[in-house]
Each structure stands twice: as structure tokens, then as C-alpha cells.
Amino acid sequence: MSTTEMPKAYEAADVEKKWYPIWESRGYFHGKPTEGKEHYSVVIPPPNVTGVLHLGHVLNNTLQDILVRRHRMLGHEVSWFPGTDHAGLATERKVERVMLEKENVTREQLGREAFINRVWEWKNEYGGTIIQQLRRLGTSCDWERERFTMDEGLSHAVRKVFVELYNKGVIYRGSRMINWCPVSKTALSDEEVIYKEINGKFYHYQYPLSDGSGALVIATTRPETMFGDTAVAVHPDDERYQHMIGKTVDLPLTDRKIPIIADFHADPTKGTGCVKITPAHDPNDYEVGQRHNLPMINIMNPDGTMNSRSGVDYQGLDRFECRKKVIADLEKAGLMVKIEDIVHSVGYSERGDVPIETLVSEQWFARMNELAKPAMEAVRDGKIKFYPERWTKTYFHWMENIKDWCISRQVWWGHRIPAWYNDETGEIYVGMDAPEKNGTWRQEEDVLDTWFSSWLWPFSVMGWPEKTSELKMFYPTTDLVTGPDIIFFWVARMIMAGCEFMDEIPFRNVYFTSIIRDEQGRKLSKSLGNSPDPIDVINTYGADALRFSIIYIAPTGIDIRYSNEKCELGRNFANKLWNACRFRRLQGNTSLAFRDLNGIALNKLTPDEKWIIQRINWMAAEVNQMLDEYRFDHAVHCIYDVVWGDFCDLFIESSKVRLRNGGENKEQALAVLDFAIWRILLLLHPFMPYITEELAHQMGFLNDDESIMKAEYPTACNAVEIPDTDEQLMRLVRGKFEIAAAGRNLKASYDIPNGKKADYHIKAVNPEAAEFLKSETDSLTFLVNAGNITISLDGWDASAGVAPSVMAELGTIYLPLKDLVDVNNELKKLTDQKKQLQGWIKGSEAKLSNQGFLAKAPENVINEAKEHLDGLKLKLARTEELIASLG
RNA sequence: GGGCGGUUAGCUCAGCUGGCUAGAGCAUUUGGUUUACACCCAAAGGGUCGGGGGUUCGAAUCCCUCACCGCCCACCA
């Protein structure tokens, strides 16, 4: 135990720096598979290896750390599997950008192999940033088990899964309509496309009939795609165009003729009812093309410029430049009819932030509908539970409509698809390693979608496909904590992968975190500049303060409005706790024995002491229950209220009397303080790991080689039973504090400084209250900072001077003020009070004379209502008495 | 178009399966050098619980409906 004086204010920085390395080096974070022990495990949602910590990570990882630390203290064998994600496209683009800025080199100039080496170098140098930042937060990850999605082991798992699914026919290669990002020049999955409402134009223009009998007017938002048109469609039942079906039109700006076809896709109520069909560049048109056997003309290069099929005048133009030229040329040709303003949604690439192109391309896909079935069942059966439960709805909706997953990406950084082509024979070989057969084999250039490794994470981190003891003891994991934004990307796919490859769900509970927004409700983003750096916050307020605050303000299931100032709450709380401990230290005699009330005769405890022990017991039960229900914010509120409101404001204050008096009482008081503090520190540790560890040592509760991390977590089961502690006693203690507050209130109302001692009289409501209050006179005198307090069953004798009063549960407290009080004022106050009481009584009586209420309300509610009415009547009587005494 | 969430004090939010006079923090006002803490203490003011309807003895809470805000999915040639 340190013997140095505790500073007046808690300084987080030094404490945090001190403890983390101690915990880590002593191996406290490491979980070992152990037969016969209860195991608890969590896998981290692996942050991007290029990432830096943001508040989303803070919330997410604090929640996991709370779960993990608590389970460790409950005596379970715990492992929190950490790691990072290679984040294919994101990382590739980041390194590319740095290379371009610093050396003016593109990845193409460098070549595939050299570029990949560069990414590895970059990863090795900067990839640890977020991992170090997580340590600052205090997360107790099992770092010995840290993994990276492109580790050899995990890559092996990816290849194995790919080969297996290919052999089962789940994975196939095919030419399909996909989402294409012209900036990243790669295919994207449907989930990587973000739709934005944008202001656009709706162009109406003519396609002249080839026989010269007139023209069709079509309407489109994308005129530049007309070079890929292979038909114009009208609805089969559309009267206006019946006679034209089967004819052809001259496609303007080209020398092609295209047919007019009848297809129900054409909506007579939209635009002109005529729609141009571009099968190679629009999903709906693709379907129409399939139905009518239309040719597909791809008119675009991978970078979004027009190719030679667009004609010499347009080829090479960017798609949006081309649009302008097409419009101008149509106008020149006199074919443009009108241009309308329109708001429509356009798909954007998540990474490139440019409009994507839908086009037909040769890609690798995974059929998901069969994989989805057992995964849906697992959630439907309750084997996997979602918190909040409503997210199951989103899950089912997606799973029921699941589409094939485009898993190939035209980037270099990632798991290269284990497929080889023989150009001579046209064979395709898919296997764990390159084919040894004769002939020239060329490996597939594409890599897999990042999520194709993430979906294996819960078992690949444990060494799958090897049959490891980790898998045996830690799989399935218990809890998963993640954001609802990746329910499709990750959560659903992990469930499918677990069911498919492990024949077992990957986790039992999924807790979906809130999304953090700024004070105006906007999403946090770098470009808006409204995304605070958590490391700055930690430096300013402390990691514990950040953790505590963010949980305190995070409602379950709805968005959080965050601002740095809100961390003051956690900082202030930490400081409050620090000073409560500091107060205890200043009393001397810290003893290890006291933390467990050893050597203290429990039957001699004072009512206050019994009361605080009960409160602590209650808090322990409550916190555990709240955490079992994943109601983190409630758990934190509960601790805050009991520690600040009950322990500091009431108990510590009232204990000062006993401490001052010394003797046996003092030792007992110290022991109860120690007991309360120790339990508070234990309960709080998962939320505020640093300060609780520091204080546990400062207070002498632990030896230097011990840690609060390894102590037993308080629960309802290990609560301390205190003799002669019933509800009635609790009520009396509460009542005493209430009277004290009433006494202070009187001083404040009459502008008497609290520092000035004043005499009081208390009229107790009954002999029991009188007896109790008398036994607590010292305490009351101190709490009110009174001179002299008389307690009896009689009211204040007004002949001795006017005494304003306040009523409380246990009695009425009078502050005799002689000439300082205006009697009329007092009378008015009391008359108002009387009126108010009469109003309440009237309401209460009305309720109790309501036959319906008496007949239908449950008995306890009726009894409570009666007691309440009695209480009101008593107060009214007391009020009338007071009025009479003044009159 | 379909789904989900939100609307309670000036602000941010509690309020569980309906049941005493709807709570907390911040902010505001007032007072305070009581031997832990001004990152503090004491006290005060402030809400017809988004509108309307219904169920019920009783509704912030359950149902219907409308409005507004936000998110997700589908679609918008």
C-alpha cells in the first residue's frame, strides 16, 4: 500500500499508464482451455487494419470489455479474441493514395507482387495503431491470440472454405449483372452500394420510326447509355403503341435499327410509356433482354469512359461528359422533346463515393439460399438471441430475400481466389494449392471480398480447420457486440458460416450497439469534422471517464448524441469516487481485514450502517441483473446513483459524527466504509478498470502482487446478511435523511447560511419515530448543522415565537425564528399546503369510492391507495394543527 | 411502396409486464471557505408526456389514426 498522500483530484494519465502493462505482462487477459471450467468467449469485430480508433470502436469495445471483465471476475475461463481485418479495397486504396502522394507511383506501375509487398510493409508499420489505441482504452483482449484475416492460418481457412463450397456447387463462376465501381474498377456486392437521393433530369426525346411514319418518345435519366440500346419496349396492353409493336426505330446518333417490343416492364403511367432497353447496363433491362433474346452491348470501359461501341464521336469520353454531348447532339438533331427536373435515387460506391454502374460481368458468386436456411432457424428457435430483439426482423427480411453473393473483387490486396485456368484446354481447377498437373496454368487474378474471410472469424481465430482445444472449449462464443449496420455484411454471414462449417452457431447472443451521432444528430464522419479523436478525449478526461460516460449516455437501441463535454460526467464521477476514498484514507487505519467486515460484530451496526450495506447489496444484485439483460446504461446509472447519492451524500456525511467521536464506534465505521468502498470498486471495475485498480491498492485492499481483476465479483449470491435489517428500519433511516433535508430547506428558505447553527424542534408522528429520531440526534444535528434539536410528540409552542415548519414522513421539523418571520407569510404557505392536500385527498377519495376501482383493481393497489389516503389525511390534520397554532 | 425506431423539463435522456403528486444529469436561479471533493455542497424554479380517437376503475405506458424527425429495404426506365 502506498503511504503517500492522495492528490486532491484524480489524475487519470499516470494511473492508466501504470496498470495496463502490469495486467498484460502478468497474463491476466489470457484464457486457457480448461476442462471442467465454465468458459466465456467473445470475438472482437476486427477493425480495419488501416483504421484509427473512433467513438464507435470505443462504445463497442467498452461494452465487450465490461462483459469480459465481469465474467473473468465471476470465475469463468475467459478469452476475448482480438485481431484486425485486411479490409481489401479500403487498405489498397489507402496505400495507393500514400504512394501517389509521396512518390507519384501508381500500383499499376509497381506491379502486382511489388504492390502487395508494399501493403504488407505498410501494414507492419502502421497496422498496429488501432491495436495500441485499444490498449489505451483498457480493453482486456487476449492479445496472445491476436489474429489478422490474412494470417497464414486464416488464409488457409478461406481457401478450404472456397474449395469446399465450389465442390458443393455453392460457389460458381458466371456472367451476371453486378455493381461496378468505375473508380476502384472492381465489382461490388449489393451491400456495398449506397443509394442517395439526388437531383437529376428526366430527358424525353424521339426515336424516329424506321418507316418514316413518325417517332416514339422515350424518357430516360441516362441518355448516354443509348448506345447500348437493343430495343424499345412498350406495354403489351398500351393502346397508344399497339400498332407499332414489331416495327423498328432508327437509334439516333448511330446507324442501328432496333425493334419495338412488347413487355410488361414498360409502365404506361411512367414517362411516355416507352422505355429504351439497354440489357448490358440495367438490371431490369437485363431481364427484358433475357425474355426477348436481345443482344447485349457493353458500351463502357472499366473506368467509366465510353468504349468504341459508342461510336467514334463518343468513345473515350467519361460517362458524364458523354451525357452532355449526347444531349447537345440530340438537341442539334431536333429530337429532344423536353427535360424535366427529377429527384431520384442513384447507387453510389461505398468506397469510391461515385455513382456505380450496373453491368454484366464475369464474376464468382456464392449461392446463399441453402446456407440461409439453418441460419434462420437458429434465430427463430432462439438458439441465437438478438438484443434489442427487433433486429431479428431486419435479419429475417434480408435472409428470406437473400441473393447470390458476388465474392470476387478486381483488386490485388486480399485472398487470391484459388482457381487456375488452363488456356490451352479451357479447364478450370479449384484447389487448396496450384495444380501439379501438366500444362500451363494461370491463377485467377481476382481476390475475394473482404467479408469472405470475416464470416469465418469466430472459428478461424481459434485455429479452424485444425481441431484445437480452443475450438473445443471456447466455441461457440457467448456474446457478440457489434453495430446493426453490419448485420448483413457480417452477422448474418457468420451465422451461416458457423452452421455450415462448424455445424454449430457461432455465438449465443448478439448485442447491437447504438450508433453515435453528434449533438445535432448527424453521423460522425471525418469529412464533416465532427468526429472527435478518442485518444484526445482519453488524454483530457481519462479512459475510465470516456468509458463510463459513453455507457451512461448510450440508450439501448437508439442513437447516441455525443459530445466531448458529456465526458465531464464520467470524469466528475471518477473524481467523486477518488475523493470518497481519499476521505477514508485520511481517517487512517486502513486495514485489509475491514474490506470484508472481518472482526466486526454485525449486530452492533448502527442503522445507517445497516442501511448502506443493504444498499450495496441491492446494487450488486441490480447491476448483475442489468448486465445479464444487456442493459448497460441501467447498470451504470444504478452505480452512479448509489455511489453518489446514497454513499457519498448521505452515508459518508452521516458517518462523520461517528468517526469524530472515536473509540469502538470509529473502528466499526471505518470497517463499514471499507466494506462499501471495496464492493463499489469491485462492481465498478468492469466499467472503470483503471481507477478501481488504483484505488483498491491505495486503500490497502490488495497486496502489490494482487489485482482487482482477479477478485470475486459481488452478486446477489455473495451478499452480506445483516441481522435485524428490515424494511421498517430502512424506512426510518430514509426518514431521518428526509428530515435533515427538510431542516436544511428551512434554513435556505429564510436565508440563513447553512454554516450558521440554528436550533430546531421536531414533532415526531408516533412514538416509534420519536424514539428512533432521538437515538439519531447526534447524526441529525450534524446533518442539518444545527445547534440544539429537541424531539417530542408535541408540536412547537407558538407562544414562544413563530416557527416555520416542513413536514416529512417521520415528523414535522420546526425552525423557531422569533421575530424574523412574518406570521401572515407562514399562514399563507400553510394554507396553500392545506389546499393542495385537500385537492389530493379529494382525488384519492373519489378513486376509492369508485365501485369499478374497488371491484376490479388488485387488492394491493387498493390497499396502497387507502394507505396513501390515510397519509394525506394525517398530513392535512398536521397542517391544520400548525395553522391553529399560529392563529 | 414495405419495415423499424423516435417525439416526456431549455438540452440529453430514464420511466420494466398499465397503479401514489411523471424522474435524473446538464443548463438556469439562490446560498455556501461545515477538517473527501468547486470535477464540490445545500436549496429552488421548470413538463396538460407530439395531435386526435379508443380500450380500461385507472393510460406517458396498451390499441387505432394523423403529423413531424431519423434509419433500413425495395423501386424509380
Side-chain angles (χ1 to χ4, degrees), chain A residues 399-467:
Chain A
M399 292 290 266
E400 279 156 12
N401 298 288
I402 197 161
K403 304 219 180 76
D404 288 2
W405 176 13
C406 176
I407 54 175
S408 47
R409 295 290 180 277
Q410 287 66 50
V411 297
W412 288 345
W413 176 244
H415 300 281
R416 194 158 170 184
I417 291 177
W420 286 262
Y421 303 102
N422 187 322
D423 291 330
E424 288 157 29
T425 64
E427 279 176 276
I428 297 180
Y429 172 82
V430 171
M432 296 296 290
D433 301 295
E436 290 172 7
K437 302 175 208 168
N438 293 332
T440 323
W441 294 87
R442 167 175 66 81
Q443 189 177 0
E444 168 65 83
E445 297 283 325
D446 293 356
V447 302
L448 288 161
D449 180 5
T450 295
W451 299 100
F452 198 86
S453 52
S454 323
W455 76 326
L456 312 177
W457 186 248
F459 45 92
S460 64
V461 288
M462 297 186 194
W464 188 87
E466 303 300 318
K467 290 195 168 68

Side-chain angles (χ1 to χ4, degrees), chain A residues 21 24 61 212 270 297 318 504 523 560 563 583 631 717:
Chain A
E24 194 175 354
N61 288 288
K270 271 188 198 162
I297 305 177
D318 175 77
E504 172 69 281
K523 258 189 178 165
I560 303 175
S563 67
F583 168 76
R631 298 171 70 177
C717 298

Side-chain angles (χ1 to χ4, degrees), chain A residues 862-877:
Chain A
I862 296 174
N863 288 337
E864 276 168 30
K866 281 180 182 162
E867 277 171 34
H868 180 231
L869 177 60
D870 291 345
L872 289 175
K873 281 180 172 166
L874 185 63
K875 277 191 177 169
L876 180 65

Side-chain angles (χ1 to χ4, degrees), chain A residues 78-94:
Chain A
V78 173
S79 186
W80 179 5
F81 292 80
T84 47
D85 191 281
H86 67 280
L89 191 51
T91 305
E92 176 160 322
R93 284 181 58 85
K94 186 155 200 162

Side-chain angles (χ1 to χ4, degrees), chain A residues 741-769:
Chain A
R744 289 189 296 258
N745 182 342
L746 280 168
K747 274 193 196 175
S749 309
Y750 293 94
D751 292 330
I752 299 166
N754 194 34
K756 191 176 173 191
K757 296 197 190 305
D759 293 340
Y760 287 88
H761 175 73
I762 296 170
K763 183 197 176 197
V765 283
N766 57 38
E768 192 197 6

Side-chain angles (χ1 to χ4, degrees), chain A residues 508-746:
Chain A
R508 303 184 196 287
N509 305 291
V510 185
Y511 180 80
F512 289 106
T513 63
S514 322
I515 290 171
I516 303 183
R517 300 175 175 280
D518 71 4
E519 282 198 296
Q520 286 133 57
R522 299 175 304 178
K523 258 189 178 165
L524 300 183
S525 77
K526 268 187 201 159
S527 51
L528 273 175
N530 63 348
S531 184
D533 180 354
I535 298 301
D536 288 345
V537 180
I538 289 174
N539 290 337
T540 312
Y541 297 97
D544 287 332
L546 172 59
R547 291 168 60 118
F548 190 89
S549 305
I550 205 157
I551 302 301
Y552 190 95
I553 64 172
T556 21
I558 55 176
D559 296 351
I560 303 175
R561 296 195 177 214
Y562 174 89
S563 67
N564 283 348
E565 294 71 49
K566 285 185 174 164
C567 289
E568 287 175 11
L569 180 122
R571 181 200 58 186
N572 294 354
F573 182 70
N575 193 245
K576 188 74 182 172
L577 184 70
W578 179 263
N579 274 288
C581 290
R582 183 165 172 267
F583 168 76
R584 169 62 188 87
R585 272 274 306 269
L586 290 172
Q587 311 304 317
N589 283 349
T590 44
S591 151
L592 197 123
F594 280 179
R595 70 174 210 196
D596 296 319
L597 287 175
N598 287 343
I600 298 301
L602 298 184
N603 54 358
K604 285 190 182 167
L605 293 174
T606 67
D608 282 354
E609 289 165 348
K610 290 177 178 176
W611 173 79
I612 195 65
I613 290 170
Q614 286 299 88
R615 292 301 294 160
I616 300 281
N617 282 342
W618 174 82
M619 170 168 71
E622 188 74 5
V623 167
N624 278 282
Q625 193 188 330
M626 288 302 118
L627 289 179
D628 284 339
E629 294 171 12
Y630 302 90
R631 298 171 70 177
F632 299 91
D633 55 331
H634 282 249
V636 160
H637 278 262
C638 171
I639 297 176
Y640 184 95
D641 291 345
V642 172
V643 170
W644 202 308
D646 291 341
F647 183 63
C648 292
D649 288 348
L650 301 179
F651 183 73
I652 288 189
E653 284 312 306
S654 78
S655 75
K656 285 176 181 171
V657 179
R658 295 190 298 283
L659 292 169
R660 201 172 43 191
N661 292 345
E664 213 177 283
N665 286 342
K666 180 170 177 183
E667 178 155 296
Q668 180 174 300
L670 293 177
V672 175
L673 279 171
D674 281 356
F675 169 84
I677 291 172
W678 173 233
R679 294 240 158 178
I680 287 167
L681 294 177
L682 289 169
L683 279 167
L684 196 52
H685 178 257
F687 305 89
M688 299 184 122
Y690 291 113
I691 190 176
T692 49
E693 180 79 289
E694 174 68 14
L695 285 172
H697 285 85
Q698 286 273 358
M699 301 305 292
F701 295 155
L702 295 170
N703 294 317
D704 286 350
D705 60 347
E706 293 177 312
S707 167
I708 196 169
M709 276 188 70
K710 307 297 270 184
E712 188 185 358
Y713 202 65
T715 64
C717 298
N718 55 27
V720 177
E721 291 293 332
I722 304 298
D724 309 321
T725 326
D726 56 9
E727 261 313 302
Q728 180 57 15
L729 182 70
M730 297 293 104
R731 203 175 305 158
L732 288 170
V733 174
R734 270 271 165 226
K736 177 187 76 171
F737 289 126
E738 193 202 353
I739 287 205
R744 289 189 296 258
N745 182 342
L746 280 168

